Amino acid sequence: MSEHYAFVMMTKEKYWLLFRERELEGKRTQSFVLKGAAPPKATRILLFYVCNPVKAIDGYAEFIERRMGAPEDVWNEYSDESVLQSKQSFLEFIGDPERVSFVRFTNLKKASNPISLSNLRMVLGVKRISRKGFYLNKNMTDKLISMME
């Protein structure tokens, strides 16, 4: 699990702002909704990379689990953890997949010092980052979290 200690999730700014709002309202357990059998399957930490216009890792949370199943079943069980306001918005978001994933997390923290895309690429030693997210080992995770605090 050391190599899969953390997972960097890509999110749109509007969803990131809703996650933060829910955290401020005291809703500790939340779910990130994805189509199909999306990663991560098992990890400890989620880092949130917020896409345009932010282009930075803007926070992190503790991973609980990935719950996957038929859209109707998973929505009925975890809808109260989602930033999607209604079943209609959920169905519009996911389209028509056979399965969906709810990536559950808790203890969301906003970065005091977000890590910009250029700094992230420099620290990782890469020219590009995957748009589907990627795993990090414990050492790199600790380094990035200390940069954010």
Side-chain angles (χ1 to χ4, degrees):
M1 171 93 99
S2 176
E3 291 302 310
H4 289 165
Y5 186 79
F7 188 80
V8 178
M9 307 238 1
M10 307 295 163
T11 186
K12 292 181 179 179
E13 183 183 32
K14 69 179 182 178
Y15 298 123
W16 172 244
L17 294 173
L18 289 170
F19 286 135
R20 288 182 39 217
E21 184 179 308
R22 288 174 54 85
E23 182 72 20
L24 292 172
E25 291 170 355
K27 297 176 180 165
R28 296 288 178 218
T29 302
Q30 301 190 59
S31 289
F32 192 100
V33 179
L34 297 162
K35 301 170 193 172
K41 187 186 265 186
T43 192
R44 292 195 178 188
I45 304 290
L46 295 175
L47 294 135
F48 292 90
Y49 177 86
V50 183
C51 302
N52 289 336
V54 178
K55 292 186 180 178
I57 294 181
D58 202 20
Y60 59 97
E62 297 170 27
F63 175 80
I64 298 173
E65 66 180 338
R66 177 190 75 179
R67 297 297 296 204
M68 190 175 57
E72 183 83 20
D73 297 339
V74 182
W75 174 257
N76 288 338
E77 191 168 351
Y78 298 106
S79 61
D80 60 321
E81 297 176 0
S82 173
V83 297
L84 300 171
Q85 303 291 321
S86 66
K87 187 172 184 178
Q88 181 64 31
S89 62
F90 168 71
L91 294 173
E92 288 171 8
F93 177 78
I94 62 163
D96 192 25
E98 290 181 21
R99 299 186 301 178
V100 295
S101 297
F102 272 53
V103 177
R104 301 179 71 225
F105 61 92
T106 190
N107 200 22
L108 179 67
K109 296 189 187 303
K110 169 140 177 43
S112 298
N113 302 303
I115 301 171
S116 69
L117 176 59
S118 58
N119 285 345
L120 178 61
R121 288 191 314 231
M122 184 177 67
V123 169
L124 295 175
V126 298
K127 291 183 180 181
R128 298 177 137 195
I129 60 171
S130 170
R131 293 189 300 166
K132 292 186 177 186
F134 52 94
Y135 287 100
L136 297 171
N137 65 30
K138 184 174 183 348
N139 290 338
M140 184 57 69
T141 303
D142 291 344
K143 184 175 184 176
L144 293 174
I145 288 174
S146 69
M147 289 171 65
M148 285 187 270
E149 294 178 336

